[in-house]
Amino acid sequence: EPFWFRDEFGENSIGRYLSQGFSISDGKNTSSTGNAYCINRNILKNTVVSVDWTPDTVGARGFVILLSNEFSTSTGSGSKYLVYMREDSTLQLGKVNSGAWSVLVTSEDLFSQSTEYNIQTVITSGESSTNIKVYIDSVLKIDHTDSTNPLVSGYCGIGVNTGTNIFDNLQISGTRVYQKPIHRGAMLET
């Protein structure tokens, strides 16, 4: 079933997420602490995530969480893709697989302090691979296909590693995946 979600953070909407370390003020979702997360409560596949990100302090590091297999505020466990943005540094697409972090692709783009950037990710999952495209201000920066134990569905959200990071205009769309239990009638149809 199609899914579409948008949050402009015009009100305190933290209750819509599994959240830790964020606050809503002046229509922005802000965190000044490390290990802050906002994770949407739906399992999705073939997902588009778009968010405006501002690194507000020197060394600010934010990330977009893609296809996490766990509904948790921990980046150190489970499996997920992360788009990692570093102020005055690089853009990385990484993968956490059973708690082990690996960098899949690095783009040498520099982000400037107090400048807003639109980060958009497009994830297309097949049976044996997942393609991830990352755009910065509508310019394609990363196009990577993962065929080594690819993740095909999961939770999506935003997070902060260090520094003050400001997020706005979060949009998530995709196909909702339901975990349907087997009912008794299904057993009779064999």
Side-chain angles (χ1 to χ4, degrees):
E1 148 181 324
F3 174 82
W4 187 79
F5 174 84
R6 180 179 180 147
D7 197 338
E8 296 176 344
F9 304 110
E11 60 187 41
N12 190 347
S13 55
I14 289 296
R16 296 180 186 168
Y17 308 94
L18 174 64
S19 182
Q20 164 185 309
F22 276 100
S23 64
I24 306 291
S25 63
D26 299 324
K28 308 281 185 188
N29 186 338
T30 304
S31 177
S32 297
T33 64
N35 299 318
Y37 309 90
C38 273
I39 301 173
N40 187 274
R41 298 179 183 271
N42 293 280
I43 298 175
L44 302 173
K45 67 178 184 178
N46 296 327
T47 308
V48 176
V49 179
S50 177
V51 66
D52 295 334
W53 171 69
T54 305
D56 206 39
T57 57
V58 172
R61 296 178 181 174
F63 53 88
V64 177
I65 302 165
L66 306 171
L67 305 183
S68 175
N69 71 348
E70 62 179 357
F71 190 55
S72 167
T73 58
S74 171
T75 57
S77 61
S79 298
K80 59 190 71 70
Y81 295 109
L82 296 173
V83 175
Y84 198 45
M85 299 93 61
R86 299 172 181 219
E87 185 274 333
D88 197 29
S89 188
T90 59
L91 170 70
Q92 292 179 324
L93 172 62
K95 183 177 182 181
V96 177
N97 194 5
S98 299
W101 163 262
S102 62
V103 176
L104 301 175
V105 180
T106 298
S107 175
E108 297 301 325
D109 291 285
L110 297 179
F111 297 103
S112 299
Q113 180 182 348
S114 301
T115 301
E116 183 177 84
Y117 300 91
N118 177 262
I119 313 295
Q120 182 180 41
T121 60
V122 179
I123 304 106
T124 307
S125 299
E127 290 184 27
S128 60
S129 66
T130 295
N131 178 261
I132 302 171
K133 291 181 172 68
V134 181
Y135 298 85
I136 306 298
D137 294 332
S138 301
V139 177
L140 180 64
K141 298 294 184 175
I142 293 176
D143 184 351
H144 179 75
T145 299
D146 182 17
S147 55
T148 305
N149 298 317
L151 306 173
V152 296
S153 65
Y155 300 99
C156 297
I158 54 177
V160 169
N161 181 264
T162 59
T164 300
N165 292 258
I166 300 170
F167 294 92
D168 198 8
N169 299 317
L170 175 63
Q171 297 181 52
I172 302 172
S173 62
T175 303
R176 192 182 325 231
V177 176
Y178 290 100
Q179 305 298 329
K180 296 180 182 180
I182 296 176
H183 59 86
R184 292 171 123 183
M187 299 298 285
L188 299 175
E189 296 173 4
T190 58

